Amino acid sequence: EAGVAQSPRYKIIEKRQSVAFWCNPISGHATLYWYQQILGQGPKLLIQFQNNGVVDDSQLPKDRFSAERLKGVDSTLKIQPAKLEDSAVYLCASRISPDRNTEAFFGQGTRLTVV
Amino acid sequence: GQQLNQSPQSMFIQEGEDVSMNCTSSSIFNTWLWYKQDPGEGPVLLIALYKAGELTSNGRLTAQFGITRKDSFLNISASIPSDVGIYFCAGPSNTGKLIFGQGTTLQVKP
């Protein structure tokens, strides 16, 4: 079974530029998460999708971050414009459902450096 | 909101030693997940716990779901250099939001 795929693996941009990350979850997984992980910290949830609907985006900085999952499969996360403090690893994870007895699997992440 | 607190924050041990780390919360969780993250990689699931009191092993790893449902621990026996990494506990909220602890960084000296 293929895992969660993310691209690109690395991205370096200048502040005020835009960037987009892509995630393809495990086939059949209805729940998809985007996390931001700053060096030395645990992952922080940005947004949770159930199929193509948003369940939780309370910690998404909506003035600059946006995410979509139009067909309920793959998803994109965009930052526009980027700030220095956005430098982090952006992780995508998926679960077959949000039910408590299910496991979440992560992609390798995209490491973003804003200079 | 719900939070998970991990301890210790970091550990530096000798190869062959056993390791224990734990995760606590002020609120109840119905599932506990333990992940390991290697540098430059995403977290990899090690063990999933679904019942209070459950004790589950995966090779040299053993994890337990606390009776109160507010804590969990992870033990690693006979540590080896490739055990180096950051270990995270995580638990889903009632809406399916997956919450993570701050992580325990493990270093193993050969």
Side-chain angles (χ1 to χ4, degrees), chain B residues 7 17 27-28 35 38 40 45 74 79 82 90-91 96 102 110:
Chain B
S7 64
E17 289 184 347
S27 54
I28 287 172
Y35 289 87
D38 291 328
L45 184 67
L74 175 70
S79 58
S82 62
Q102 323 93 303

Side-chain angles (χ1 to χ4, degrees), chain B residues 19-104:
Chain B
V19 170
S20 185
M21 59 190 79
N22 74 332
C23 188
T24 60
S25 172
S26 58
S27 54
I28 287 172
F29 280 83
N30 292 311
T31 298
W32 290 89
L33 305 171
W34 283 95
Y35 289 87
K36 179 184 181 228
Q37 187 174 28
D38 291 328
E41 301 293 331
V44 173
L45 184 67
L46 299 174
I47 291 180
L49 301 163
Y50 301 116
K51 278 176 61 176
E54 179 182 357
L55 185 72
T56 297
S57 293
N58 177 6
R60 293 179 295 105
L61 277 60
T62 302
Q64 183 155 30
F65 192 144
I67 293 288
T68 63
R69 293 192 284 162
K70 292 183 178 181
D71 63 345
S72 175
F73 71 73
L74 175 70
N75 285 346
I76 305 172
S77 62
S79 58
I80 58 178
S82 62
D83 291 333
V84 165
I86 306 175
Y87 292 79
F88 291 100
C89 63
S93 70
N94 291 336
T95 60
K97 176 178 176 177
L98 199 57
I99 299 163
F100 279 79
Q102 323 93 303
T104 292

Side-chain angles (χ1 to χ4, degrees), chain A residues 9-10 31 33 35 37 40-43 45 48 55-56 58-59 91 95 98 100-109 111, chain B residues 9 30-31 33 35 37 39-45 48 50 69 86 88 92-103:
Chain A
R9 285 294 311 271
Y10 307 94
T31 305
Y33 307 90
Y35 284 86
Q37 187 177 25
Q41 299 181 16
L45 181 68
Q48 175 187 344
V55 174
D56 187 334
S58 56
Q59 297 192 79
L91 295 163
R95 290 168 80 187
R100 60 185 190 185
N101 286 5
T102 60
E103 301 150 8
F105 298 91
F106 282 81
Q108 291 180 297
R111 180 175 296 277
Chain B
Q9 190 174 356
N30 292 311
T31 298
L33 305 171
Y35 289 87
Q37 187 174 28
E41 301 293 331
V44 173
L45 184 67
Y50 301 116
R69 293 192 284 162
I86 306 175
F88 291 100
S93 70
N94 291 336
T95 60
K97 176 178 176 177
L98 199 57
I99 299 163
F100 279 79
Q102 323 93 303

